[in-house]
């Protein structure tokens, strides 16, 4: 049996998975050293390397399979049926079995080009019931409060596995203890059994390290996140304390880079996080801790369950239709599906490959909480009656090379998915003056924070931004995105004589990468009132020198951090908009 093609198929895939997991763990474990050394550029490179690692290892494993097995065996579904059974047995005692199943699926889909998706031949559903297996490993450390909140914070900070000392531990203990005693629910404050509980693993991302857990007592619990920053040469400091579920959810947002955190038992780790954030989908939590391919698996399973309920149908997404993408939604699932059109509007001079590379760029890049994560699907299949007639007609019209019918099935050769948000242009039509001011402030902050991370959105129109359930403005249209350092920001030259200024054509040369920030106002806002308000809130965005200054900072190697919580929440906030140079 061990020499059969099916067994060799299963064993080769598992060998590839082991190689992937070993390197994944090495990159992740080194996060503590990068934090200790304040090696921020290296941290960014490690993040990109870990994202690219999955496809690299799948490619290497595919090459091994093609060398080790005859093509007839490799492309025979019955061989995969037998291999699936062997593989399920081989991984039955593993703590990361669900990740191993997803890796098997990736190889199956590489061979069969995302066709023949059946549970007989791959793991459409998991091979085992997670609830029936418990590792017995303890992921948390705990301490009773006994009425002393400062002592609890001192324990939380001093017992954390940091190699760098705190700059002023007693100050941080006092600030953290005062916050908890002043903001926790009365039931917890008065509970004789109150305790603090923290995951033993530290969550590293960008310039921050996060201690994550909860405070509970008298049957009540609140999540607890302690963000720790490292100012090189000054030691560590506690930046704030977060105890609201919504605030913690933003820390783990789909708009942010994946955490580097050591995880012994992925399923149990995600279960714990979901207790802190009950509204966060399981797939998003797997992605947040770096297992984005399995996050995609969980997303797909959840989508299938929702579609099977038949509560609603796929419809055309509300808002202005895109020039490059056709967008549809399943309203009850809060997900957007995006398909590249066959033909773009004349103003969009790019190819399908260029658009796909833009999406890959965003996937690899630090999204600084302002760009939505995406999942990419090939040969997505749904029943025809799951689409509204108008939606299906539109997709078949604008993307016939990507969307076609086969019997009663709709086949979509390639699409992206993102979390659904309210388009910013529609959101502004539904709110009052005070809310408009707040959301335009955040819109400008979103542009600045992406720029600080070396991302220029290209097309900054309101329709290309959305508003989340937390009221945050997020960019989600990537077909014109580019690195900020590739742009040539210019001031509009003074006209040499009055007739030039009155001309409908520019009196100056314009290169392909030239950008004139002075022109942003009329381009972004047809509503003069909103335009004036935005200019008042963010005048620097209309100044080419502001953008050039950001470019110099990036070229000089300065890594600019964007905090995943409000600036006013920080114990010692001093920088505008939460940007640190």
């Amino acid at each position: 049996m061990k020499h059969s093609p099916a067994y060799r198929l299963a064993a080769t895939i598992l060998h590839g998975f082991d190689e992937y997991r070993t390197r994944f763990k090495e990159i992740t474990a080194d996060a503590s050293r990068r934090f200790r050394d304040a090696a921020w550029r290296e941290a960014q490179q490690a993040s990109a390397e870990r994202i690219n690692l999955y496809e690299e290892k799948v490619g290497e494993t595919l090459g091994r399979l093609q060398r080790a097995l005859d093509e007839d065996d490799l492309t025979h579904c019955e061989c995969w049926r037998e291999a699936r059974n062997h593989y399920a047995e081989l991984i039955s005692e593993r703590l990361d079995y669900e990740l191993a199943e997803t890796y098997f699926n990736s190889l199956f889909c590489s061979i069969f080009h995302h066709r023949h998706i059946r549970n007989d031949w791959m793991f459409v559903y998991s091979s085992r019931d997670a609830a029936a297996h418990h590792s017995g490993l303890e992921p948390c450390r705990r301490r009773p409060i006994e009425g002393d909140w400062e002592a609890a914070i001192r324990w939380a900070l001093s017992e954390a596995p940091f190699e760098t000392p705190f700059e002023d531990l007693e100050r941080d203990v006092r600030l953290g203890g005062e916050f908890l005693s002043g903001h926790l629910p009365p039931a917890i404050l008065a509970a004789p059994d109150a305790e603090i509980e923290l995951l033993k693993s530290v969550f590293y991302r960008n310039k921050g390290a996060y201690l994550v857990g909860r405070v509970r007592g008298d049957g009540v619990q609140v999540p607890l996140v302690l963000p720790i920053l490292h100012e090189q040469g000054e030691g560590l400091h506690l930046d704030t304390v977060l105890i609201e579920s919504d605030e913690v959810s933003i820390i783990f947002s789909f708009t942010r880079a994946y955490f580097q955190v050591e995880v012994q038992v992925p399923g149990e780790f995600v279960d714990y996080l979901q207790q802190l954030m009950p509204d966060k989908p399981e797939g998003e939590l797997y992605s947040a801790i770096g297992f984005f391919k399995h996050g995609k698996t969980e997303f797909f399973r959840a989508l299938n369950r929702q579609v099977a309920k038949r509560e609603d149908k796929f419809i055309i997404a509300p808002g202005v239709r895109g020039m490059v993408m056709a967008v549809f939604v399943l309203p009850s699932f809060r997900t957007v599906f995006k398909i590249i059109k066959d033909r773009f509007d004349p103003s969009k001079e790019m190819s399908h490959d260029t658009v796909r590379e833009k999406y890959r760029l965003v996937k690899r890049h630090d999204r600084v909480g302002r760009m939505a994560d995406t999942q990419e699907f090939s040969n997505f299949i749904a029943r025809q009656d799951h689409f509204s007639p108008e939606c299906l007609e539109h997709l078949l019209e604008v993307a016939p090379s990507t969307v076609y019918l086969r019997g009663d099935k709709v086949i979509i050769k390639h699409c992206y998915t993102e979390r659904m948000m309210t388009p910013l242009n529609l959101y502004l039509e539904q709110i009052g003056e005070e809310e408009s001011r707040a959301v335009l402030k955040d819109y400008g902050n979103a542009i600045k924070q992406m720029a600080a991370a070396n991302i220029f959105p290209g097309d900054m129109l309101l329709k290309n931004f959305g508003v989340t359930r937390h009221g945050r403005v997020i960019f989600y249209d990537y077909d014109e995105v580019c690195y900020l350092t590739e742009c040539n920001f210019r001031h509009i030259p003074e006209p040499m004589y009055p007739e030039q200024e009155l001309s409908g054509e520019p009196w100056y040369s314009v290169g392909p990468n030239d950008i004139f920030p002075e022109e942003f106002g009329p381009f972004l806002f047809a509503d003069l009132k909103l335009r004036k308000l935005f200019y008042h809130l963010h005048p620097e965005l209309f100044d080419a020198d502001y953008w050039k200054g950001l470019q110099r900072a990036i070229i000089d190697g300065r890594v600019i951090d964007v905090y995943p919580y409000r600036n006013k929440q920080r114990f010692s906030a001093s920088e505008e908009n939460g940007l640190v140079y």
Side-chain angles (χ1 to χ4, degrees):
M1 182 184 293
K2 288 191 175 183
H3 299 290
S4 71
Y7 188 88
R8 281 187 284 129
L9 174 57
T12 302
I13 293 176
L14 186 56
H15 176 67
F17 176 69
D18 280 332
E19 286 189 342
Y20 161 71
R21 289 290 285 140
T22 297
R23 182 58 187 148
F24 183 99
K25 290 177 180 179
E26 288 172 352
I27 297 170
T28 303
D30 202 31
S32 60
R33 193 270 309 166
R34 294 189 291 267
F35 182 71
R36 179 199 68 195
D37 296 344
W40 310 133
R41 289 294 291 272
E42 191 180 342
Q44 290 181 333
Q45 292 162 0
S47 178
E49 180 189 350
R50 203 179 67 169
I51 289 171
N52 294 332
L53 179 67
Y54 192 90
E55 286 190 9
E56 291 172 7
K57 290 301 180 185
V58 166
E60 290 176 11
T61 307
L62 179 60
R64 285 195 194 117
L65 290 175
Q66 290 168 335
R67 291 190 296 272
L69 290 134
D70 294 336
E71 185 176 354
D72 287 346
D73 290 327
L74 198 56
T75 57
H76 196 282
C77 289
E78 288 307 308
C79 183
W80 282 87
R81 183 200 301 271
E82 189 179 340
R84 182 194 186 282
N85 294 334
H86 289 309
Y87 194 83
E89 185 175 348
L90 289 170
I91 66 173
S92 63
E93 299 302 319
R94 293 187 68 120
L95 301 178
D96 57 358
Y97 72 94
E98 74 271 48
L99 308 185
E101 291 174 346
T102 287
Y103 196 83
F104 183 96
N105 291 350
S106 295
L107 269 302
F108 180 90
C109 289
S110 295
I111 296 291
F112 292 101
H113 307 290
H114 298 268
R115 297 184 175 90
H116 310 305
I117 307 298
R118 285 178 51 180
N119 198 52
D120 291 347
W121 302 327
M122 58 179 287
F123 297 96
V124 175
Y125 308 106
S126 180
S127 63
R128 76 188 207 196
D129 180 7
H133 297 260
H134 192 275
S135 69
L137 297 174
E138 179 49 67
C140 295
R141 56 190 177 104
R142 299 177 182 83
R143 184 189 188 279
I145 301 299
E146 298 175 341
D148 192 340
W149 295 98
E150 289 192 9
I153 291 292
R154 181 179 289 105
W155 166 84
L157 301 181
S158 62
E159 296 295 320
F162 296 124
E163 298 180 60
T164 307
F166 280 80
E167 175 192 359
D168 188 342
L169 181 61
E170 292 309 310
R171 176 201 62 200
D172 292 344
V173 164
R174 175 180 53 81
L175 290 170
E178 288 177 353
F179 181 92
L180 289 179
S181 60
H183 293 83
L184 284 171
I188 293 179
L189 291 172
D193 63 343
E195 70 171 0
I196 184 172
E197 176 184 270
L198 292 169
L199 287 163
K200 295 174 183 176
S201 299
V202 179
F203 293 70
Y204 294 98
R205 185 174 62 200
N206 299 335
K207 290 183 176 180
Y210 300 82
L211 304 178
V212 177
R214 57 190 170 188
V215 182
R216 55 185 178 179
D218 194 28
V220 179
Q221 74 166 34
V222 297
L224 175 67
V225 173
L226 305 176
I228 314 297
L229 299 186
H230 181 196
E231 300 297 338
Q232 193 168 18
E234 298 181 9
L236 310 182
H237 71 267
L238 176 65
D239 202 42
T240 188
V241 174
L242 305 173
I243 60 171
E244 298 289 340
S245 288
D246 282 352
E247 293 172 342
V248 175
S249 181
I250 290 172
I251 297 280
F252 285 83
S253 173
F254 63 93
T255 65
R256 299 192 181 278
Y258 307 134
F259 280 110
Q260 305 263 340
V261 56
E262 295 187 73
V263 177
Q264 286 185 291
V265 191
E268 292 175 12
F269 204 86
V270 166
D271 286 345
Y272 183 87
L273 293 175
Q274 204 155 36
Q275 293 176 47
L276 308 181
M277 298 165 279
D279 295 331
K280 183 73 69 176
E282 188 175 4
E284 279 188 23
L285 289 172
Y286 270 104
S287 294
I289 57 177
F291 307 127
F292 62 92
K293 281 294 182 180
H294 188 68
K296 177 180 174 180
T297 297
E298 292 297 339
F299 168 88
F300 182 73
R301 290 170 178 168
L303 174 61
N304 281 340
R305 290 193 296 270
Q306 185 61 35
V307 169
K309 294 178 183 178
R310 303 185 69 89
E311 292 179 353
D312 51 4
K313 296 185 177 185
F314 292 107
I315 61 172
I316 298 171
V320 180
R321 295 187 183 181
M323 299 180 182
V324 171
M325 294 287 203
V327 185
F328 63 100
V329 301
L330 184 65
S332 63
F333 197 60
R334 300 293 300 163
T335 297
V336 169
F337 299 78
K338 305 174 78 168
I339 296 170
I340 304 174
K341 292 181 175 181
D342 279 19
R343 292 181 299 278
F344 305 154
D345 286 18
S347 62
K348 298 285 187 177
E349 299 178 0
M350 62 185 70
S351 67
H352 279 222
D353 288 343
T354 301
V355 175
R356 294 179 74 159
E357 180 53 37
K358 300 290 187 183
Y359 276 75
R360 282 192 286 267
L361 183 159
V362 172
K363 188 74 174 180
R364 297 189 299 265
H365 201 82
D366 179 13
R367 297 188 299 279
V368 294
R370 295 299 187 175
M371 293 185 285
D373 194 13
T374 60
Q375 296 286 9
E376 191 172 1
F377 287 89
S378 297
N379 287 314
F380 179 86
I381 301 175
R383 285 168 53 107
Q384 187 171 340
D385 60 3
H386 287 147
F387 289 79
S388 73
E390 297 81 10
C391 178
L392 185 56
E393 182 182 358
H394 174 66
L395 297 180
L396 292 170
E397 177 186 352
V398 302
S401 69
T402 300
V403 183
Y404 60 93
L405 300 178
R406 182 189 295 155
D408 65 344
K409 300 289 194 301
V410 179
I411 315 295
I412 299 176
K413 291 171 63 176
H414 179 262
C415 71
Y416 297 98
T417 64
E418 293 175 353
R419 277 287 294 275
M420 188 189 301
M421 291 171 271
T422 305
L424 180 55
N425 58 314
L426 299 184
Y427 190 84
L428 284 166
E429 294 174 3
Q430 302 165 8
I431 58 176
E433 187 172 334
E434 186 175 341
E435 288 178 285
S436 293
R437 181 182 184 89
V439 79
L440 287 181
K441 178 71 172 177
D442 203 50
Y443 168 50
N445 288 344
I447 294 170
K448 291 177 182 177
Q449 290 168 358
M450 285 189 289
N454 198 22
I455 289 290
F456 185 69
D459 193 340
M460 297 191 298
L461 290 173
L462 301 178
K463 70 181 181 68
N464 295 329
F465 289 75
V467 183
T468 70
R469 65 187 178 93
H470 299 296
R472 289 178 56 79
V473 176
I474 305 299
F475 182 56
Y476 55 56
D477 196 324
Y478 304 145
D479 54 81
E480 290 195 20
V481 74
C482 65
Y483 292 115
L484 188 81
T485 47
E486 295 176 350
C487 301
N488 183 31
F489 293 98
R490 293 176 56 190
H491 293 280
I492 296 176
E494 291 292 329
M496 297 178 63
Y497 40 86
E499 288 77 9
Q500 285 185 330
E501 192 170 13
L502 296 174
S503 170
E505 300 295 325
W507 58 88
Y508 45 87
S509 63
V510 180
N513 295 328
D514 286 352
I515 295 171
F516 300 89
E518 293 159 82
E519 298 178 336
F520 286 170
F523 176 71
L524 299 179
F525 296 98
D527 187 313
L528 185 58
K529 187 176 179 180
L530 291 178
R531 187 190 310 171
K532 288 181 176 179
L533 175 57
F534 188 74
Y535 187 88
H536 172 74
L537 293 170
H538 298 286
E540 59 273 29
L541 291 179
F542 299 87
D543 183 357
D545 291 337
Y546 169 79
W547 296 93
K548 291 178 180 179
L550 281 175
Q551 288 178 318
R552 285 193 296 271
I554 293 164
I555 292 169
D556 289 345
R558 283 179 278 176
V559 175
I560 303 165
D561 199 15
V562 181
Y563 301 112
Y565 39 85
R566 294 187 299 274
N567 203 45
K568 65 181 181 181
Q569 291 175 277
R570 301 180 62 211
F571 290 146
S572 57
S574 58
E575 287 78 19
E576 179 74 10
N577 299 326
L579 301 183
V580 170
Y581 289 76

